[in-house]
Amino acid sequence: MEESINVMLFIRGSVMLHTKDEELLQEIKAGNESAFAELYNHYQHLLLMEAYYKVRSYPEAEDIVQEIFTSLWIRRKELSISIPIKHYLFKAVHLQYAYKCRKSEVARRFVQHTLYVSKEAGTNYLLENKEMYLQIKEAIAGVTAPASRRAFELLYMENKSHQEIALDMNIKPQVARNQVSRALKIIRTRLKKVM
């Protein structure tokens, strides 16, 4: 009997939480910043733990969670969430992690296998297709911001971590990530035009 009462209380509590989240979501859609802050404060720590479990890096986990909440706020008017917000947010962590993995791996492979054959060899081998090499080189040169270009080169050509780049350039790791991201956007755009 006591067990069935506990189950009923749990179900009632879950329904109330779900209803509260739906109300918060409606308020957020209307632009209510305090409702957004309440949702953020309620789920931020849980999402941070989930993201950390995936990436094993506290700064990267923080980035993932911040990107999710930033996106949620920016897209608040057009949101159409048909599942409980908790499930939506946890799924967003998973998708953001998958996106970061794919983006990082694609960029790393692009530079390592296209520009240089082997770091251990001590000599940088040019691509067999010199025209492709020149297009890539021009795309990198098209990154006019010296800090972005330097951060990109350190990460992808010298295989340094964001932390090492931050130390080398005397900036914060998040700034290093932002600089690399800016460079990648420019390089991708330039390469799409010529390929």
Side-chain angles (χ1 to χ4, degrees):
M1 181 70 172
E2 187 178 317
E3 189 174 307
S4 65
I5 291 172
N6 287 339
V7 169
M8 293 291 286
L9 289 174
F10 175 76
I11 291 170
R12 185 176 295 147
S14 295
V15 170
M16 287 176 63
L17 180 61
H18 181 65
T19 304
K20 174 83 169 150
D21 285 350
E22 285 179 359
E23 290 170 5
L24 282 175
L25 190 56
Q26 291 307 316
E27 289 292 318
I28 290 167
K29 285 182 179 183
N32 186 332
E33 291 178 20
S34 61
F36 179 77
E38 187 176 337
L39 186 77
Y40 177 85
N41 290 332
H42 184 72
Y43 286 110
Q44 183 263 350
H45 184 68
L46 295 169
L47 297 177
L48 190 58
M49 288 189 314
E50 181 70 14
Y52 180 80
Y53 175 75
K54 292 180 178 305
V55 297
R56 300 290 186 201
S57 163
Y58 190 74
E60 285 187 48
E62 282 182 320
D63 288 347
I64 287 173
V65 173
Q66 289 303 320
E67 287 171 19
I68 289 167
F69 279 108
T70 300
S71 174
L72 184 72
W73 180 253
I74 290 170
R75 299 179 310 110
R76 69 188 176 276
K77 291 179 182 174
E78 63 215 35
L79 283 177
S80 177
I81 301 174
S82 58
I83 59 175
I85 190 72
K86 178 180 181 179
H87 299 296
Y88 174 85
L89 293 171
F90 275 91
K91 185 170 182 145
V93 169
H94 174 74
L95 293 173
Q96 191 67 27
Y97 170 68
Y99 173 75
K100 280 189 174 294
C101 288
R102 187 176 66 244
K103 182 174 147 185
S104 175
E105 185 59 27
V106 167
R108 191 170 304 284
R109 282 186 188 171
F110 168 77
V111 172
Q112 287 180 340
H113 295 294
T114 310
L115 293 178
Y116 301 98
V117 175
S118 171
K119 187 178 179 184
E120 290 80 30
T123 308
N124 296 329
Y125 294 94
L126 295 177
L127 290 169
E128 291 177 18
N129 183 342
K130 291 188 178 196
E131 185 178 326
M132 174 69 92
Y133 172 76
L134 291 173
Q135 289 173 347
I136 293 167
K137 195 172 176 182
E138 283 178 24
I140 293 170
V143 180
T144 56
S148 292
R149 186 173 52 249
R150 178 73 180 137
F152 176 86
E153 290 169 345
L154 287 171
L155 182 68
Y156 293 110
M157 293 178 192
E158 296 182 28
N159 215 16
K160 291 191 175 188
S161 70
H162 288 104
Q163 194 70 30
E164 291 170 322
I165 295 168
L167 289 172
D168 186 83
M169 295 179 68
N170 197 24
I171 56 177
K172 293 183 177 184
Q174 182 57 47
V175 175
R177 283 186 194 89
N178 293 345
Q179 295 290 1
V180 170
S181 179
R182 284 186 196 111
L184 277 171
K185 285 178 187 172
I186 293 166
I187 291 168
R188 282 188 192 119
T189 302
R190 286 176 163 266
L191 288 176
K192 280 181 188 174
K193 290 177 183 175
V194 296
M195 292 182 172

